[in-house]
Amino acid sequence: MNQVRIAELAWPVYAERVGSGAPVLIPVGALEQHGPHMSMNPDVLLPTAIAERVAADIGGLVAPAIAYGYKSQQKSGGGNHMPGTTSLDGSTVTSIIRDVLRELARHGVRKAVLINGHYENSAFITEGVDLALRELRWDGIVDFRCIILSYWDFIDQATIDAIYQGDFPGWAVEHGGVLETSLMLHLHPDLVDMSLVHDHPPAVFPPYDVFPIKPEWTPASGCLSSAKRARAEHGELILRVCVQGISGALQTAFD
Amino acid sequence: MNQVRIAELAWPVYAERVGSGAPVLIPVGALEQHGPHMSMNPDVLLPTAIAERVAADIGGLVAPAIAYGYKSQQKSGGGNHMPGTTSLDGSTVTSIIRDVLRELARHGVRKAVLINGHYENSAFITEGVDLALRELRWDGIVDFRCIILSYWDFIDQATIDAIYQGDFPGWAVEHGGVLETSLMLHLHPDLVDMSLVHDHPPAVFPPYDVFPIKPEWTPASGCLSSAKRARAEHGELILRVCVQGISGALQTAFD
Amino acid sequence: MNQVRIAELAWPVYAERVGSGAPVLIPVGALEQHGPHMSMNPDVLLPTAIAERVAADIGGLVAPAIAYGYKSQQKSGGGNHMPGTTSLDGSTVTSIIRDVLRELARHGVRKAVLINGHYENSAFITEGVDLALRELRWDGIVDFRCIILSYWDFIDQATIDAIYQGDFPGWAVEHGGVLETSLMLHLHPDLVDMSLVHDHPPAVFPPYDVFPIKPEWTPASGCLSSAKRARAEHGELILRVCVQGISGALQTAFD
Amino acid sequence: MNQVRIAELAWPVYAERVGSGAPVLIPVGALEQHGPHMSMNPDVLLPTAIAERVAADIGGLVAPAIAYGYKSQQKSGGGNHMPGTTSLDGSTVTSIIRDVLRELARHGVRKAVLINGHYENSAFITEGVDLALRELRWDGIVDFRCIILSYWDFIDQATIDAIYQGDFPGWAVEHGGVLETSLMLHLHPDLVDMSLVHDHPPAVFPPYDVFPIKPEWTPASGCLSSAKRARAEHGELILRVCVQGISGALQTAFD
Amino acid sequence: MNQVRIAELAWPVYAERVGSGAPVLIPVGALEQHGPHMSMNPDVLLPTAIAERVAADIGGLVAPAIAYGYKSQQKSGGGNHMPGTTSLDGSTVTSIIRDVLRELARHGVRKAVLINGHYENSAFITEGVDLALRELRWDGIVDFRCIILSYWDFIDQATIDAIYQGDFPGWAVEHGGVLETSLMLHLHPDLVDMSLVHDHPPAVFPPYDVFPIKPEWTPASGCLSSAKRARAEHGELILRVCVQGISGALQTAFD
Amino acid sequence: MNQVRIAELAWPVYAERVGSGAPVLIPVGALEQHGPHMSMNPDVLLPTAIAERVAADIGGLVAPAIAYGYKSQQKSGGGNHMPGTTSLDGSTVTSIIRDVLRELARHGVRKAVLINGHYENSAFITEGVDLALRELRWDGIVDFRCIILSYWDFIDQATIDAIYQGDFPGWAVEHGGVLETSLMLHLHPDLVDMSLVHDHPPAVFPPYDVFPIKPEWTPASGCLSSAKRARAEHGELILRVCVQGISGALQTAFD
């Protein structure tokens, strides 16, 4: 698997792979609290794990993950007031994406995939891609293609049913919940302590956002739903579904 | 109604209203194609109409709408390659929001509401609010409160059922569809020509975004679903539901 | 007249008009106090009214007005400390202009006109145009032409004489004075209340600017000269002179 | 005179002068063509000469001149297409002003004067001052005062009459004309060669700006009016009038 | 050792550690070619390894490494034209540092250490720290202390003598040479293949930089000196010297 | 010598020189304290003096010096807390360099040389050059070459030996020391007062930087080593060595 990590290749190997048309996958994460039962890096580790497996499937490469992301929002990540959550301004996220894509294009890469693991990054990744394509166009490069995806968008209804048994609280409150915890239990069991899960009902929010946020709206755990039902087997299933889905999608998209 | 539009007040009247604690609502829209049957300003006119009615209900004021918004995305707005769609960079949207809020706070406003009418604006509005609150904090202003909402988030299931009769295609493809067209038929019938509606099935997209976008994925109309079932009565209902919902929410939120 | 407003066109109509070479006029205004007798939007409404009439004359189109402008200066607009005046940073104004022009060029527009209604915007519009032309050049677009004008520069001496009877206080202090008030009386009489005009002599300033500004230098009204002599007929005359002058100038300039 | 130039002081002397409340004057110029008969630095040398004399009068200090300015505009400086004219983006000018003022305030300076020698700089200086005052306010510094002036605004009608004998073409076209050339003849005769003056009538422009500019609108010399009547004695007079006027104004303003 | 990695802690543990005054160390690296014999991540892995050991010594924590850095310069890193080297604009590096420090301060951290592993980052880290301290000051936080260091500055002459036997080519050309390779051999032997070392004399450069760089000045390997004498034992020694030196320095500095 | 200063040329002369391929040298300095015995402009005057002599040698031109530079660092310039030191943000320095180079290229210049006199500027000059080359590339200009150098890098060991007699403290602490003072004594003796030299041992710093800096680490003089041994003759020697070295280097580099 090692051979997909760009950072672990010597440059001539990388140059050869790029020269053969390998797509490059970039995990985009965050350093963000995910409850008292879990480490703060799931948004980095999960898209990285998926990216590495997808890259192995499709002959791609994986760039170092973007380890810091956009500000956590209360209704999707508990809020940016939480200890440990360490976020960048939107323009910083956008600049990182733009700069990295510009460099990949210079190397000769023509297919890039941003694999997002932190919901709040989405729009700033999109803007980074747009700015990169603009600059590349000015450089006469018009065949650079870029795909943006969030891995959870590849989890189908059958998988949700199998895991949640009809009790799916919705993606909106899946922060630090069954999905992420199960994936971590499968991939990094040492970074989860199920005995520390707070078993509370899903957070309920009004249909608007308030700033400054109201800390009391976020459950004390920092999670938006309970991870109690998390299982390593669920994680294994989700991982397989995501990897297969994304691998297939990329092969179609880059055809 | 007129008396809610800040732009139409003389400054002493505005100053008096602000001094009494009036919240200020800011419609945030876009100049974006909405199909061959409709003008390109629904994202401005609709949140403005809602804002004016809500302001009348709650004793608020309405600032001039932000008339240009963030880049249209293919899966929510048809894509930024369409003629007529006239979009700003993300940092420009963010700067406008930050600057306007900073000025409102200088006037003495302490309650601001961003009423979004263009999905793609969301994250950049959020960042603008965050940057404004940061600067206000540096200025010693810590009691400025800000609410961000998108009006469609206040349409309840009963209303959806009443309008779509069980055939709701999802918000994702409601661009230029039944919802926006009905509201425009009710509010601005002169800007809609139902004879030009393309009656096509909802657009179907894969669970990822591609850049440069693939123009062939967007229906030729530029709409993501058909507006054929749009009716002025539906628009009247939606408007009433949104105005009531938002008025109530703001009264609670600012209590 | 309606048919000149881009925002009120469906995209295929807009695309067709642009394809035929229609120039696009962009009113650039501000939300700024204009005294106790007048609304705060003359800098938006006046260039918009002129732009729509000019567009009708020359076969052009009018983009939505830029509704917020650069900071009011004490010697030309009373100062940015006044309640209601809601201004953007210079870089924000510049970015808006650059972004909008970039999009118009993408649509195929090759003739754009910035019709300024707020003196303080001037330099930041100019910079926006320069940055837009630079980027367009990088995109290989070198035939995009842009005109910047302030409508009052088209008022000739004869008109001034007819209105002021030899008592013209100079453009510098015309903020909220006879000129703008007369135009508003003609175009939007409901937004003017002549009974609230403060009849004071023109403001007198030293030949330099001080920051922080000295509030006591601005007349209590916020106007820099008295609007007492304002008349709707004057407004009608000024409007006609401006529209004719600008229409003629654009036809020459774009020949 | 030397003792007014900050750059030529050792830091303890500077610190002592600042500690005593000395105002600091900053000449803001440009590197810009001024015709075939003159060097390209009048916009730096003239405000510097004035600043040094004013500083001597009022016990002030002079900071190093800003040697590059905003883009030359066709109707005030011949245009930014001319060889030799070397201009900065607006945001760069603004940042320089903001940064320098922020540092002066750190030193303890509380009175700063921007002496502008290049018309096109004006708005970007103003924005730089506004941004500096905002940041200083965040740092708790609220007694920093700043004056912006352009030296030609201190030339009174009597002086104009004495020099032009009723034939004053207006400030608008004084670029490289009698005023600047006379001052240079008085102050830096080695940088003027009167035998190379092009004697052409003042440039005539329409009441709008065109971009890209039309090179043929600028006289071949690059000057907007003829310097033929320039005399060192005129320069001496203008210098005296400006220095007296500015010295007096600053004493009043900082009282 | 695990317990020093912030990303691997749950937030309550992190909050508790920060509450006890733990300093936070941030490795700042780059994705940069380091010759055909080595992976492209030494600038990330080496400061991370050192940071983790130092943190263990002094009771500190280690934040996720900054994985992309400033542009490789020809005379210190071979140049930014090399395949694989993936660099950020200076302003992007600066923004990342500023944003991360701002967030750490919000958590309550008051001692931060930037451990640089990529020479070219230095000035942009410094600027990021300066901007962060400025913003924190505006937020009333004046006791946040920050240390910037490059690990190689802690290698003493005795160590250099022991390793190079009097043949030290100078830090300037140590890119991909004995130092970095020895550390990698000790810490990550799987990422080095000594059989692929190019054994060439140190690169020689003139005392200036040329842009665009001259590719022929960089040895074909991308390294600036030969790693042939690299040994895992040297790496072990260097690591020990750096960890001891830095641990001692931080204890003194934060006393 | 005069004929090398761009600012002192009329534009047709400049245009002719540029048309003949003259390289342009840009001194980049700072306004920075250099001890109680010396003015605050050595970082401007010294690279300017060198640039003018080199330009005379190689047929080049000298642009106006950049008079303000990046923030003084404690270990190379005493620190940015010192009175008189007046510094720009990094992005401002970078923007100035980028803008000036862009304009030179528009004039037809194809060889530019940045002659740095302030150590802390280095990385921000480099970034400015990189951004300028990027934009020029977008404009289709790919033959613009740029050299960056710091004049002290051309002082050879023989010269150091001749001056310091084996007691060279290292460049790191040469701020306000023998080197700069000797050059100033030779070139601008009126700006040095040797009776005010503080004769203290070289400053000693740990191998890291602390922020906020510790004022007590900087000698009270602001200098990092004693200028006591400074002599005009040393300055004459250094100047000759630098001018010869740089002239020769540029002739080779631009061949």
Side-chain angles (χ1 to χ4, degrees):
Chain A
M1 175 100 65
N2 233 15
Q3 288 307 95
V4 303
R5 292 186 193 137
I6 289 174
E8 300 190 358
L9 302 178
W11 74 261
V13 181
Y14 171 74
E16 192 276 331
R17 296 289 305 278
V18 168
S20 313
V24 171
L25 286 63
I26 312 168
V28 191
L31 179 63
E32 187 189 29
Q33 68 80 19
H34 276 75
H37 69 289
M38 198 155 56
S39 60
M40 299 200 286
N41 53 6
D43 292 357
V44 173
L45 294 181
L46 301 182
T48 299
I50 290 167
E52 293 184 355
R53 283 159 180 78
V54 169
D57 280 2
I58 67 167
L61 296 166
V62 179
I66 310 298
Y68 297 90
Y70 184 66
K71 296 159 193 166
S72 178
Q73 296 299 303
Q74 185 161 31
K75 291 166 62 177
S76 49
N80 211 61
H81 63 300
M82 294 291 295
T85 297
T86 306
S87 308
L88 306 178
D89 279 1
S91 60
T92 308
V93 175
T94 291
S95 296
I96 296 169
I97 300 295
R98 179 200 60 195
D99 291 2
V100 169
L101 293 177
R102 189 204 288 126
E103 286 286 74
L104 294 181
R106 177 177 61 74
H107 303 158
V109 175
R110 287 298 175 268
K111 300 171 192 162
V113 187
L114 285 306
I115 303 208
N116 185 26
H118 176 65
Y119 175 74
E120 289 89 340
N121 286 336
S122 305
F124 302 99
I125 295 175
T126 297
E127 178 68 343
V129 168
D130 190 75
L131 298 186
L133 290 184
R134 181 192 291 170
E135 294 199 6
L136 292 179
R137 202 174 62 219
W138 292 338
D139 257 326
I141 297 175
V142 294
D143 58 346
F144 187 86
R145 285 184 290 160
C146 201
I147 285 174
I148 306 176
L149 62 87
S150 294
Y151 69 84
W152 51 82
D153 285 334
F154 288 80
I155 305 177
D156 54 18
Q157 192 58 42
T159 305
I160 291 174
D161 291 345
I163 293 169
Y164 290 91
Q165 308 284 340
D167 203 27
F168 181 53
W171 290 122
V173 292
E174 238 305 333
H175 179 72
V178 173
L179 170 79
E180 291 182 310
T181 307
S182 294
L183 279 164
M184 288 293 283
L185 278 172
H186 173 57
L187 288 161
H188 299 279
D190 52 312
L191 298 177
V192 185
D193 180 344
M194 288 300 291
S195 75
L196 294 173
V197 167
H198 286 215
D199 190 26
H200 53 66
V204 178
F205 296 106
Y208 54 84
D209 296 282
V210 183
F211 298 86
I213 62 104
K214 306 203 176 195
E216 64 273 20
W217 284 3
T218 299
S221 67
C223 299
L224 298 186
S225 59
S226 167
K228 201 181 171 198
R229 279 200 289 191
R231 298 285 179 279
E233 308 86 82
H234 295 341
E236 189 180 7
L237 171 62
I238 296 166
L239 182 66
R240 193 171 58 237
V241 166
C242 287
V243 169
Q244 287 178 350
I246 296 173
S247 296
L250 295 184
Q251 279 162 324
T252 305
F254 284 138
D255 228 13
Chain B
M1 173 100 62
N2 233 13
Q3 287 306 95
V4 303
R5 291 186 194 138
I6 289 175
E8 300 190 359
L9 302 178
W11 73 261
V13 181
Y14 172 75
E16 192 277 333
R17 296 288 306 278
V18 168
S20 312
V24 171
L25 287 62
I26 311 168
V28 192
L31 179 63
E32 187 189 28
Q33 67 80 18
H34 276 74
H37 68 289
M38 197 154 58
S39 60
M40 298 199 287
N41 54 5
D43 291 358
V44 173
L45 295 181
L46 301 182
T48 298
I50 291 167
E52 291 184 357
R53 283 160 180 78
V54 169
D57 279 2
I58 67 167
L61 295 166
V62 180
I66 310 299
Y68 297 90
Y70 184 64
K71 295 158 194 166
S72 179
Q73 297 300 304
Q74 183 161 32
K75 291 167 62 177
S76 50
N80 213 61
H81 63 298
M82 294 291 296
T85 297
T86 306
S87 308
L88 306 178
D89 279 1
S91 60
T92 307
V93 174
T94 292
S95 296
I96 296 169
I97 300 296
R98 180 200 61 195
D99 290 3
V100 169
L101 293 177
R102 190 205 288 127
E103 285 285 75
L104 295 181
R106 178 177 61 73
H107 303 157
V109 175
R110 286 299 176 268
K111 301 169 191 164
V113 187
L114 284 307
I115 302 207
N116 185 25
H118 177 64
Y119 176 73
E120 288 87 341
N121 286 336
S122 304
F124 302 99
I125 295 175
T126 296
E127 178 68 345
V129 167
D130 190 75
L131 298 186
L133 290 183
R134 182 191 290 170
E135 293 198 8
L136 293 178
R137 202 175 63 219
W138 292 339
D139 257 327
I141 298 174
V142 295
D143 59 346
F144 187 87
R145 285 183 289 160
C146 202
I147 284 175
I148 305 176
L149 62 87
S150 293
Y151 69 83
W152 52 82
D153 285 334
F154 287 81
I155 305 177
D156 53 16
Q157 193 57 44
T159 305
I160 290 174
D161 291 346
I163 293 170
Y164 290 91
Q165 309 283 342
D167 202 29
F168 180 52
W171 291 122
V173 291
E174 238 306 336
H175 180 72
V178 172
L179 170 79
E180 291 182 310
T181 306
S182 295
L183 280 164
M184 288 293 283
L185 278 173
H186 173 57
L187 289 161
H188 300 279
D190 53 312
L191 298 177
V192 185
D193 180 344
M194 288 300 290
S195 75
L196 294 173
V197 167
H198 287 212
D199 190 25
H200 52 67
V204 178
F205 297 107
Y208 54 84
D209 296 283
V210 183
F211 297 87
I213 61 105
K214 307 204 175 194
E216 63 274 20
W217 285 3
T218 299
S221 67
C223 298
L224 299 186
S225 58
S226 166
K228 200 179 174 201
R229 279 198 291 189
R231 299 284 179 279
E233 308 86 81
H234 295 340
E236 190 179 8
L237 170 63
I238 296 166
L239 182 65
R240 192 170 60 238
V241 167
C242 286
V243 169
Q244 286 178 352
I246 296 172
S247 296
L250 295 184
Q251 280 163 325
T252 306
F254 284 138
D255 229 13
Chain C
M1 173 98 67
N2 234 13
Q3 287 307 93
V4 304
R5 293 187 193 136
I6 289 175
E8 300 190 359
L9 301 178
W11 74 260
V13 180
Y14 172 75
E16 191 276 333
R17 296 289 305 278
V18 168
S20 313
V24 170
L25 286 62
I26 311 168
V28 192
L31 179 63
E32 188 189 27
Q33 68 80 18
H34 276 75
H37 68 289
M38 198 154 57
S39 60
M40 298 199 287
N41 53 6
D43 292 358
V44 173
L45 295 181
L46 301 181
T48 298
I50 291 167
E52 292 184 356
R53 284 161 180 76
V54 169
D57 279 3
I58 67 166
L61 295 166
V62 179
I66 310 298
Y68 297 90
Y70 184 65
K71 296 157 193 167
S72 179
Q73 296 301 302
Q74 184 161 31
K75 291 167 63 176
S76 49
N80 212 62
H81 63 299
M82 294 291 295
T85 297
T86 306
S87 309
L88 306 178
D89 279 1
S91 61
T92 308
V93 175
T94 291
S95 297
I96 296 170
I97 300 296
R98 179 201 58 195
D99 290 2
V100 170
L101 293 178
R102 189 204 289 126
E103 287 285 74
L104 295 181
R106 177 177 61 74
H107 303 157
V109 175
R110 287 299 175 269
K111 301 170 190 163
V113 187
L114 285 305
I115 303 206
N116 185 27
H118 176 65
Y119 175 73
E120 289 87 340
N121 286 336
S122 305
F124 301 99
I125 295 175
T126 297
E127 177 69 344
V129 167
D130 190 73
L131 298 187
L133 290 183
R134 181 192 290 170
E135 293 198 8
L136 293 179
R137 202 174 62 219
W138 291 338
D139 257 326
I141 297 175
V142 295
D143 59 346
F144 187 87
R145 284 183 291 159
C146 201
I147 284 174
I148 306 177
L149 61 88
S150 293
Y151 70 83
W152 52 82
D153 285 333
F154 288 81
I155 305 177
D156 54 18
Q157 193 57 42
T159 306
I160 291 175
D161 291 346
I163 293 170
Y164 289 92
Q165 308 284 340
D167 203 29
F168 181 53
W171 291 123
V173 292
E174 238 305 335
H175 180 73
V178 172
L179 170 78
E180 291 181 310
T181 307
S182 294
L183 279 165
M184 289 293 283
L185 278 173
H186 172 57
L187 289 162
H188 299 279
D190 53 311
L191 298 177
V192 185
D193 180 344
M194 289 300 290
S195 75
L196 295 173
V197 167
H198 286 214
D199 191 25
H200 53 67
V204 178
F205 296 107
Y208 54 84
D209 296 283
V210 183
F211 298 87
I213 62 103
K214 306 203 177 196
E216 64 274 20
W217 285 3
T218 299
S221 67
C223 298
L224 299 186
S225 58
S226 167
K228 201 182 172 199
R229 279 201 290 190
R231 297 285 180 278
E233 308 86 83
H234 295 342
E236 189 179 7
L237 170 63
I238 297 165
L239 182 66
R240 192 170 58 239
V241 166
C242 287
V243 169
Q244 286 178 352
I246 296 172
S247 295
L250 295 184
Q251 279 163 325
T252 306
F254 283 138
D255 231 12
Chain D
M1 174 98 64
N2 233 15
Q3 287 307 94
V4 303
R5 292 187 193 136
I6 289 176
E8 300 189 0
L9 302 177
W11 74 261
V13 180
Y14 171 76
E16 192 277 333
R17 297 289 305 279
V18 168
S20 312
V24 171
L25 286 63
I26 312 167
V28 191
L31 179 63
E32 187 189 27
Q33 68 79 18
H34 277 73
H37 68 290
M38 197 156 56
S39 61
M40 299 199 286
N41 54 5
D43 292 358
V44 173
L45 295 181
L46 301 182
T48 298
I50 290 166
E52 292 183 357
R53 283 159 181 77
V54 169
D57 279 2
I58 67 167
L61 295 166
V62 180
I66 311 298
Y68 297 90
Y70 184 65
K71 296 158 194 166
S72 178
Q73 297 299 304
Q74 185 162 31
K75 291 166 63 177
S76 49
N80 212 61
H81 63 300
M82 294 290 297
T85 297
T86 307
S87 308
L88 306 178
D89 279 1
S91 61
T92 307
V93 175
T94 291
S95 296
I96 295 169
I97 300 296
R98 179 200 60 195
D99 291 1
V100 169
L101 293 177
R102 189 204 288 127
E103 286 286 75
L104 294 181
R106 178 176 61 75
H107 304 157
V109 175
R110 287 298 176 269
K111 300 170 192 162
V113 187
L114 284 308
I115 303 207
N116 185 26
H118 176 65
Y119 175 73
E120 289 87 341
N121 285 336
S122 304
F124 302 99
I125 295 175
T126 296
E127 177 69 344
V129 168
D130 189 75
L131 298 186
L133 290 183
R134 181 191 291 170
E135 294 197 7
L136 293 178
R137 202 174 64 219
W138 293 338
D139 256 328
I141 297 174
V142 295
D143 59 346
F144 188 88
R145 284 183 290 160
C146 202
I147 285 174
I148 305 176
L149 62 87
S150 294
Y151 70 84
W152 51 83
D153 285 333
F154 288 80
I155 305 176
D156 53 18
Q157 192 58 43
T159 305
I160 290 175
D161 291 345
I163 293 170
Y164 291 92
Q165 309 283 340
D167 202 29
F168 180 52
W171 290 123
V173 292
E174 239 304 336
H175 180 74
V178 173
L179 170 79
E180 291 181 309
T181 306
S182 294
L183 279 164
M184 288 293 283
L185 279 172
H186 173 57
L187 288 161
H188 299 280
D190 52 313
L191 298 178
V192 185
D193 181 343
M194 288 300 290
S195 75
L196 294 174
V197 167
H198 287 213
D199 190 25
H200 54 66
V204 179
F205 296 108
Y208 54 84
D209 296 283
V210 183
F211 297 86
I213 62 107
K214 306 201 176 194
E216 64 273 20
W217 285 3
T218 299
S221 67
C223 299
L224 299 186
S225 57
S226 166
K228 201 181 174 199
R229 279 199 291 189
R231 298 286 177 279
E233 309 87 81
H234 295 341
E236 190 179 8
L237 171 63
I238 297 166
L239 182 65
R240 192 170 59 240
V241 166
C242 288
V243 169
Q244 287 179 350
I246 295 172
S247 295
L250 295 184
Q251 279 163 325
T252 304
F254 284 139
D255 228 14
Chain E
M1 173 98 66
N2 233 15
Q3 287 308 93
V4 304
R5 293 186 192 137
I6 290 174
E8 300 190 359
L9 301 178
W11 74 261
V13 181
Y14 171 75
E16 192 277 331
R17 297 289 306 278
V18 169
S20 312
V24 171
L25 286 62
I26 311 168
V28 192
L31 179 63
E32 187 188 28
Q33 68 80 18
H34 276 74
H37 69 289
M38 197 155 56
S39 60
M40 299 200 287
N41 54 5
D43 291 358
V44 173
L45 295 181
L46 301 182
T48 298
I50 291 167
E52 292 183 356
R53 283 160 181 77
V54 169
D57 278 3
I58 68 167
L61 295 166
V62 179
I66 310 298
Y68 297 90
Y70 184 65
K71 296 157 194 167
S72 178
Q73 296 300 303
Q74 184 161 32
K75 291 167 62 177
S76 49
N80 212 61
H81 63 299
M82 294 290 297
T85 298
T86 306
S87 309
L88 305 178
D89 279 1
S91 60
T92 307
V93 175
T94 291
S95 296
I96 295 169
I97 300 296
R98 179 200 61 196
D99 290 2
V100 169
L101 293 177
R102 188 204 289 127
E103 285 286 74
L104 294 180
R106 177 176 62 74
H107 304 158
V109 174
R110 286 299 176 268
K111 300 170 191 162
V113 187
L114 284 307
I115 303 206
N116 185 26
H118 176 67
Y119 175 73
E120 289 89 340
N121 286 336
S122 305
F124 302 98
I125 295 174
T126 297
E127 178 68 343
V129 168
D130 189 75
L131 298 187
L133 290 183
R134 180 191 291 170
E135 294 198 6
L136 293 178
R137 203 174 63 219
W138 292 338
D139 256 327
I141 297 174
V142 296
D143 59 346
F144 187 87
R145 285 183 290 160
C146 202
I147 285 174
I148 304 176
L149 62 86
S150 294
Y151 70 83
W152 51 83
D153 285 334
F154 287 80
I155 306 176
D156 53 18
Q157 192 59 42
T159 306
I160 290 173
D161 290 346
I163 293 169
Y164 291 92
Q165 309 284 342
D167 203 28
F168 181 52
W171 291 123
V173 292
E174 239 304 335
H175 180 73
V178 172
L179 170 80
E180 291 182 309
T181 306
S182 293
L183 279 164
M184 288 293 284
L185 278 172
H186 173 57
L187 288 161
H188 300 279
D190 52 313
L191 298 178
V192 185
D193 180 345
M194 289 300 290
S195 75
L196 294 174
V197 167
H198 286 213
D199 191 25
H200 53 66
V204 178
F205 297 106
Y208 54 84
D209 296 283
V210 182
F211 297 87
I213 63 105
K214 307 202 177 195
E216 64 273 22
W217 283 4
T218 299
S221 68
C223 299
L224 299 186
S225 57
S226 167
K228 200 181 173 199
R229 278 200 292 189
R231 297 286 179 280
E233 308 87 82
H234 295 341
E236 190 179 8
L237 171 63
I238 297 166
L239 182 67
R240 192 170 59 239
V241 167
C242 288
V243 169
Q244 286 178 351
I246 295 171
S247 296
L250 295 184
Q251 278 162 327
T252 306
F254 284 138
D255 228 12
Chain F
M1 173 102 64
N2 233 13
Q3 287 306 95
V4 304
R5 293 185 194 139
I6 289 174
E8 301 190 357
L9 302 178
W11 73 261
V13 180
Y14 171 74
E16 191 277 332
R17 295 289 305 277
V18 168
S20 312
V24 170
L25 285 63
I26 311 168
V28 192
L31 179 64
E32 187 188 29
Q33 68 80 20
H34 276 74
H37 69 289
M38 197 155 57
S39 60
M40 299 199 286
N41 54 6
D43 292 357
V44 173
L45 295 181
L46 301 182
T48 298
I50 291 167
E52 292 184 356
R53 283 159 180 78
V54 169
D57 280 1
I58 67 166
L61 296 165
V62 179
I66 310 298
Y68 297 90
Y70 184 66
K71 296 157 193 167
S72 178
Q73 296 301 303
Q74 184 160 32
K75 291 166 62 176
S76 49
N80 212 62
H81 63 301
M82 294 292 295
T85 297
T86 306
S87 308
L88 306 178
D89 279 1
S91 61
T92 308
V93 175
T94 291
S95 296
I96 296 170
I97 300 296
R98 180 201 58 195
D99 290 3
V100 169
L101 292 178
R102 189 204 289 127
E103 285 285 75
L104 295 181
R106 176 176 63 74
H107 303 158
V109 174
R110 287 298 175 268
K111 301 171 191 162
V113 186
L114 284 307
I115 302 206
N116 186 26
H118 176 66
Y119 175 73
E120 289 88 341
N121 287 336
S122 304
F124 302 98
I125 295 174
T126 296
E127 178 70 343
V129 168
D130 190 74
L131 298 186
L133 290 184
R134 181 191 292 171
E135 293 198 7
L136 293 179
R137 203 175 61 218
W138 292 337
D139 257 328
I141 297 175
V142 295
D143 59 346
F144 187 87
R145 285 183 290 161
C146 201
I147 285 174
I148 305 177
L149 62 87
S150 294
Y151 70 83
W152 51 82
D153 285 334
F154 287 81
I155 306 176
D156 54 17
Q157 193 57 42
T159 306
I160 291 175
D161 291 346
I163 293 169
Y164 290 91
Q165 308 284 340
D167 204 26
F168 181 53
W171 291 122
V173 292
E174 239 304 336
H175 180 73
V178 172
L179 169 79
E180 292 181 309
T181 307
S182 294
L183 279 165
M184 288 293 283
L185 279 172
H186 173 57
L187 289 161
H188 300 277
D190 52 313
L191 298 177
V192 185
D193 180 344
M194 288 299 292
S195 76
L196 294 173
V197 167
H198 287 214
D199 190 25
H200 54 67
V204 178
F205 297 106
Y208 54 83
D209 296 283
V210 183
F211 297 87
I213 63 105
K214 307 202 175 195
E216 64 273 21
W217 284 3
T218 300
S221 68
C223 299
L224 299 186
S225 58
S226 166
K228 201 181 172 198
R229 279 199 290 189
R231 299 285 179 277
E233 309 85 81
H234 295 341
E236 189 179 7
L237 170 63
I238 297 166
L239 182 66
R240 193 171 58 239
V241 166
C242 288
V243 169
Q244 286 177 352
I246 296 172
S247 296
L250 295 185
Q251 279 163 325
T252 305
F254 283 139
D255 228 12

